[in-house]
């Protein structure tokens, strides 16, 4: 091989190496951390979990709330800690995922039967007239991109296995601009509702026995 051919070979190999390096840099170094339950085990898709407040004297397990005597039912909490409340099942937006990971879009569905025709999937609901906060209700989002049904779980700043629940479905619609919000409690007429845009309610996840 003459010197010109050798230089062309070196140039081609350098270009290939550069392309591979760019592709490698574009890939995430690792998957997001798994969400852990109260026992320290990763949350699994399709498995039932109770959602509990991480702070004592802040209500009980998450449950379905009959807010105004009609459907749909709202997402909320039992007034006191105990064995009451319904478990939920998490389903990742990304098909084939079996582990629930931090800051990834997922669907949350109560594992419960109700008298309402609507699904028990969590859904972004209306804004409460008095507080101005957006409520979390149940039902299916019938839009072309069902962004109302997808939430995220993010690690809380303090504590082990403690998380916040957020609505910001950027995987469902990467080009959309969302008014994202983190979930917290809202007490109304003695009932504890789940709502965005206010104080945050840190939670823990307890696998159903």
């Amino acid at each position: 091989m003459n010197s010109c051919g050798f230089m062309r070979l070196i140039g081609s190999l350098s270009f290939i190496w550069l392309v591979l390096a760019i592709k490698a840099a574009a890939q995430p170094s690792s998957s997001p951390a798994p969400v852990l339950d109260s026992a320290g085990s990763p949350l699994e898709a399709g498995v039932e979990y109770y959602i509990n407040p991480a702070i004592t004297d802040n209500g009980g397990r998450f449950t379905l709330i009959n807010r105004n005597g009609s459907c749909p039912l709202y997402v909320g909490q039992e007034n006191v800690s105990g064995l009451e409340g319904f478990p939920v099942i998490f389903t990742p937006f990304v098909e084939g995922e079996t582990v629930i990971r931090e800051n990834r879009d997922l669907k949350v569905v109560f594992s419960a039967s109700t008298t309402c025709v609507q699904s028990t999937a969590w859904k972004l609901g209306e804004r409460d007239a008095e507080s101005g906060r957006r409520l979390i209700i149940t039902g299916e989002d019938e839009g072309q991109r069902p962004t109302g049904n997808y939430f995220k779980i993010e690690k809380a700043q303090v504590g082990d296995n403690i998380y916040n629940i957020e609505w910001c479905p950027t995987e469902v619609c990467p080009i959309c601009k969302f008014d994202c919000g983190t979930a917290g409690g809202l007490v109304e007429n003695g009932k504890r509702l789940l709502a965005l845009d206010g104080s945050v309610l840190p939670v823990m996840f307890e696998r159903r026995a």
Side-chain angles (χ1 to χ4, degrees), residues 50-52 60-66 73-80 83-88 110 112 114 120 122 136-138 191-194:
Y50 292 105
I51 304 179
N52 300 305
R61 286 174 171 172
F62 279 35
T63 189
L64 290 161
I65 299 292
N66 188 334
L73 299 176
Y74 287 70
V75 178
Q77 294 174 261
E78 297 289 344
N79 282 324
V80 295
L83 300 179
E84 300 297 323
F86 294 114
V88 300
F110 278 113
T114 75
T120 55
W122 291 20
I136 307 301
I137 64 174
T138 57
K191 299 177 180 180
R192 292 180 176 269
L193 305 173
L194 193 66

Side-chain angles (χ1 to χ4, degrees), residues 68-102:
N68 47 29
S70 63
C71 300
L73 299 176
Y74 287 70
V75 178
Q77 294 174 261
E78 297 289 344
N79 282 324
V80 295
S81 60
L83 300 179
E84 300 297 323
F86 294 114
V88 300
I89 292 175
F90 300 105
T91 303
F93 171 70
V94 177
E95 293 185 6
E97 286 282 348
T98 58
V99 173
I100 305 302
R101 299 188 179 276
E102 295 177 14

Side-chain angles (χ1 to χ4, degrees), residues 31 35 71 162 164:
S31 298
V35 178
C71 300
I162 297 177
N164 298 322

Side-chain angles (χ1 to χ4, degrees), residues 28 63 100 151 172 181 196 204:
T63 189
I100 305 302
F151 297 79
V172 179
L196 307 181
M204 300 183 73

Side-chain angles (χ1 to χ4, degrees), residues 45-46 66-67 73 80 111 114 117 122 139-140 147 154 159 164 198 200:
N66 188 334
R67 184 190 183 202
L73 299 176
V80 295
S111 182
T114 75
V117 177
W122 291 20
E140 294 292 338
T147 55
E154 59 180 4
N164 298 322
V200 176

Side-chain angles (χ1 to χ4, degrees), residues 35-44 47-54 60-62 81-90 161 163 203-209:
V35 178
L36 304 179
D37 65 18
S38 55
S41 300
L43 264 63
E44 300 176 40
V47 174
E48 294 183 341
Y49 294 90
Y50 292 105
I51 304 179
N52 300 305
R61 286 174 171 172
F62 279 35
S81 60
L83 300 179
E84 300 297 323
F86 294 114
V88 300
I89 292 175
F90 300 105
N161 308 341
Y163 299 88
V203 299
M204 300 183 73
F205 304 102
E206 173 193 354
R207 184 166 179 150
R208 184 177 187 181

